[in-house]
């Protein structure tokens, strides 16, 4: 039996959950049926559109655009302020129900998750039958709708769930890629950001099919490693696993919502360095090492993406974590402005657990690797010394020079 993965996505989650709660409390109008948005407030006209109804979409209102623009497009637009406590409550109920179906759930945001359906596929006549039953039960229990995409990997399942909405089940199996995905415009491919699409269009690549049949080496020349990744996605290639909550719970991570959107790699690297120091320090304090690292990005339009890598050796070194995070970031980032960055470690092992040596770790005289081993020991001592200083005098007692340079530049610009 081949692997079956579902991508389950709540239709206009914030607006749907608000509508369900209002109807429970006696509201006469279902805001899902009128031009309505979640975001900002009517008086200040500030903020961005976090969710919209289908009626609002017909006025050209887009998620992520300023509320003031949305109001210009539709003078009768109904607005509701965000209520994140409510969203968290509904999200928790949804995930609790889905985990009652199977524990193989990976929640990737408040309103979407992946389900590895393989283990329970025998309970249903077909994957589509299973998805329909789950979708309809969600509506019966909670009063809101979801889209479910079905395929053999996470990428294709996510692409399928973005087909016609709302309240739909779609398949996108490998044998359906040419008919269902290749005719789509290239900007609809997952992780094809605005900057990448501009570059692809200059190469006369306008559909996902054009991209799939392009030379990956030429794509790498113009878009670096992201070009290769987009080519793989256009061909339906994705080997990432559905990471369950149980695995994630064993990790240590940190993320930060940025005071202003980050638009350059240089800015992002400074943020990643600070996060790497935080994660490294917490790992050392817990006397743990990480065998896997992941980087999370939330863009200005609230779309999220993450990428992970199995490490050759478990580590709790700030430097190792930082360099791996930068590599992951470069593979993941679509050049779209960033609202949040995060680093998470998982597959933890005890700090003093014996390591499996490779032939490259054997001490060879005059070998450069021997020098690298010495540097690693020095780095461990340095990390330990910095941890002790920060514990005694505070986390800002010692700061890297690049942070000071950044602060001086900010001061000079005032």
């Amino acid at each position: 039996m081949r692997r079956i993965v579902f991508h389950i996505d709540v239709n206009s989650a914030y607006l749907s959950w608000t509508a369900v709660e209002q109807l429970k409390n006696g509201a006469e109008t279902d805001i899902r049926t009128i031009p309505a948005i979640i975001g900002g407030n009517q008086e200040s006209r500030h903020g961005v559109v976090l969710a919209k109804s289908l009626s609002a979409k017909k006025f050209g209102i887009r998620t992520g655009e300023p509320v003031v623009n949305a109001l210009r497009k539709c003078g009768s637009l109904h607005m509701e302020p965000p209520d994140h406590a409510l969203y968290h409550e509904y999200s928790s109920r949804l995930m609790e129900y889905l985990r009652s179906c199977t524990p193989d759930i990976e929640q990737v945001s408040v309103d979407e998750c992946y389900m590895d359906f393989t283990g329970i596929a025998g309970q249903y006549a077909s994957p589509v039958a299973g998805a329909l039953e789950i979708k309809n039960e969600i509506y019966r229990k909670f009063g809101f709708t979801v889209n479910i995409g079905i395929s053999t990997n996470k990428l294709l399942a996510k692409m399928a769930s973005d087909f016609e909405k709302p309240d739909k089940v779609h398949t996108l199996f490998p044998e359906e890629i040419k008919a269902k995905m290749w005719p789509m415009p290239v900007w609809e491919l997952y992780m094809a950001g605005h900057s990448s699409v501009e570059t692809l269009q200059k190469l006369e690549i306008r559909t996902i099919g054009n991209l799939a049949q392009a030379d990956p080496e030429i794509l790498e020349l113009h878009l670096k490693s992201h070009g290769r990744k987009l080519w793989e996605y256009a061909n339906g290639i994705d080997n990432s696993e559905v990471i369950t909550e149980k695995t994630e719970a064993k990790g240590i991570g940190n993320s930060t919502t940025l005071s202003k959107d980050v638009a350059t790699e240089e800015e992002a690297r400074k943020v990643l360095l600070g996060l790497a120091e935080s994660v490294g320090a917490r790992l050392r304090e817990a006397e743990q090492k990480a065998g896997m690292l992941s980087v999370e990005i939330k863009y200005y339009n609230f779309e999220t993406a993450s990428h992970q890598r199995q490490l050759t050796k478990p580590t709790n070194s700030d430097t190792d974590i930082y360099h791996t995070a930068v590599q992951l970031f470069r593979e993941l980032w679509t050049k779209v402005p960033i609202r949040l960055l995060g680093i998470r470690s998982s597959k933890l092992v005890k700090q003093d657990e014996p390591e499996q040596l490779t032939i490259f770790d054997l001490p060879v005289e005059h070998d450069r690797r021997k020098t690298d081993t010495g540097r690693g020991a020095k780095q461990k001592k340095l990390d330990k010394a910095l941890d002790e200083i920060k514990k005694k005098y505070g986390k800002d007692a010692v700061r890297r020079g690049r942070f000071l340079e950044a602060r001086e530049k900010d001061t000079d610009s005032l």
Side-chain angles (χ1 to χ4, degrees):
M1 180 185 295
R2 60 179 175 177
R3 185 172 68 142
I4 299 295
V5 176
F6 287 1
H7 180 258
I8 302 171
D9 189 11
V10 180
N11 299 134
S12 196
Y14 293 174
L15 189 124
S16 292
W17 291 336
T18 301
V20 171
E21 190 67 15
Q22 288 178 344
L23 292 171
K24 277 185 184 178
N25 295 323
E28 295 182 359
T29 301
D30 184 339
I31 60 173
R32 291 172 291 187
T33 65
I34 63 174
I37 61 170
I38 302 294
N41 62 73
Q42 191 79 44
E43 294 180 4
S44 68
R45 300 165 72 90
H46 289 161
V48 297
V49 176
L50 301 180
K52 63 187 181 301
S53 65
L54 286 176
S55 299
K57 184 179 180 180
K58 292 177 182 177
F59 284 89
I61 294 170
R62 296 175 290 104
T63 302
E65 75 172 312
V67 164
V68 65
N69 288 1
L71 288 169
R72 290 194 192 105
K73 293 176 180 178
C74 178
S76 61
L77 188 66
H78 180 86
M79 290 178 55
E80 291 287 342
D83 183 346
H84 292 286
L86 177 70
Y87 309 150
H88 177 75
E89 181 182 346
Y90 272 86
S91 175
S92 297
R93 291 178 193 170
L94 172 62
M95 297 304 158
E96 182 180 1
Y97 162 67
L98 293 174
R99 290 191 181 98
S100 73
C101 301
T102 172
D104 298 326
I105 301 291
E106 178 185 352
Q107 184 173 359
V108 290
S109 70
V110 70
D111 61 345
E112 64 176 321
C113 70
Y114 293 100
M115 171 189 286
D116 192 329
F117 184 76
T118 315
I120 59 172
Q123 301 174 24
Y124 301 91
S126 68
V128 171
L132 286 169
E133 184 171 323
I134 290 170
K135 176 185 74 69
N136 294 338
E137 183 65 7
I138 288 171
Y139 182 73
R140 188 191 70 79
K141 288 174 70 72
F142 306 115
F144 58 83
T145 63
V146 300
N147 262 42
I148 301 181
I150 308 171
S151 190
T152 56
N153 63 40
K154 290 163 68 174
L155 163 74
L156 293 176
K158 180 170 178 59
M159 289 293 297
S161 72
D162 283 334
F163 292 163
E164 183 191 359
K165 297 181 179 182
D167 198 25
K168 302 289 185 182
V169 169
H170 299 284
T171 64
L172 183 56
F173 291 113
E175 61 271 21
E176 298 177 300
I177 289 174
K178 289 184 180 180
K180 289 187 176 182
M181 190 169 80
W182 279 11
M184 296 167 63
V186 71
W187 54 263
E188 290 198 24
L189 180 66
Y190 178 61
M191 296 301 295
H194 179 72
S195 176
S196 299
V197 169
E198 283 188 341
T199 301
L200 293 172
Q201 289 180 335
K202 288 176 183 176
L203 296 172
E204 298 187 353
I205 294 173
R206 309 198 187 285
T207 68
I208 296 177
N210 294 155
L211 177 59
Q213 298 171 74
D215 185 338
E217 292 186 1
I218 292 177
L219 296 173
E220 281 186 305
L221 184 65
H222 290 272
L223 292 168
K224 300 182 180 179
S225 61
H226 190 60
R228 169 72 66 167
K229 181 60 67 177
L230 289 176
W231 178 85
E232 290 177 354
Y233 283 177
N235 283 285
I237 300 170
D238 173 30
N239 298 317
S240 60
E241 297 293 325
V242 174
I243 303 172
T244 65
E245 183 182 72
K246 183 178 179 182
T247 302
E248 284 292 293
K250 294 181 179 179
I252 289 174
N254 195 11
S255 63
T256 181
T257 301
L258 307 165
S259 57
K260 62 178 182 178
D261 293 345
V262 163
T264 68
E265 181 180 319
E266 182 183 4
E267 293 175 297
R269 287 176 65 165
K270 288 174 183 175
V271 177
L272 290 171
L273 179 57
L275 292 171
E277 288 182 332
S278 171
V279 172
R282 290 176 60 195
L283 283 168
R284 292 189 294 274
E285 185 176 2
E287 298 184 348
Q288 300 281 316
K289 287 184 177 181
M292 179 175 283
L293 289 173
S294 64
V295 166
E296 174 195 7
I297 297 176
K298 179 180 286 186
Y299 294 108
Y300 79 101
N301 58 4
F302 299 96
E303 289 185 1
T304 60
S306 62
H307 197 19
Q308 65 182 16
R309 175 173 297 169
Q310 179 81 37
L311 303 180
T312 306
K313 280 186 178 182
T315 187
N316 57 15
S317 161
D318 297 351
T319 303
D320 291 345
I321 294 170
Y322 169 66
H323 287 308
T324 302
V326 170
Q327 291 171 8
L328 290 168
F329 173 81
R330 286 173 174 166
E331 295 172 5
L332 182 64
W333 187 36
T334 60
K335 310 299 182 183
V336 173
I338 299 166
R339 182 68 50 87
L340 174 147
L341 274 172
I343 297 176
R344 184 168 185 82
S345 65
S346 57
K347 294 193 176 180
L348 305 189
V349 297
K350 292 183 179 179
Q351 187 170 256
D352 57 358
E353 184 171 300
E355 293 181 358
Q356 179 69 44
L357 296 179
T358 70
I359 59 172
F360 299 108
D361 298 305
L362 298 176
V364 180
E365 192 172 359
H366 304 305
D367 192 340
R368 181 178 64 83
R369 194 80 184 185
K370 187 174 182 180
T371 305
D372 291 343
T373 302
R375 288 175 183 165
K378 289 180 180 178
Q379 186 64 50
K380 289 179 182 178
K381 291 180 180 178
L382 177 59
D383 288 340
K384 183 178 179 181
L386 292 175
D387 288 344
E388 290 174 355
I389 292 171
K390 290 178 180 180
K391 282 181 183 178
K392 187 171 183 179
Y393 299 105
K395 65 178 183 179
D396 293 325
V398 181
R399 295 182 64 83
R400 292 182 185 259
R402 69 183 67 191
F403 289 142
L404 295 177
E405 290 170 9
R407 181 178 289 179
E408 287 171 4
K409 288 178 183 177
D410 291 342
T411 304
D412 292 341
S413 65
L414 294 176

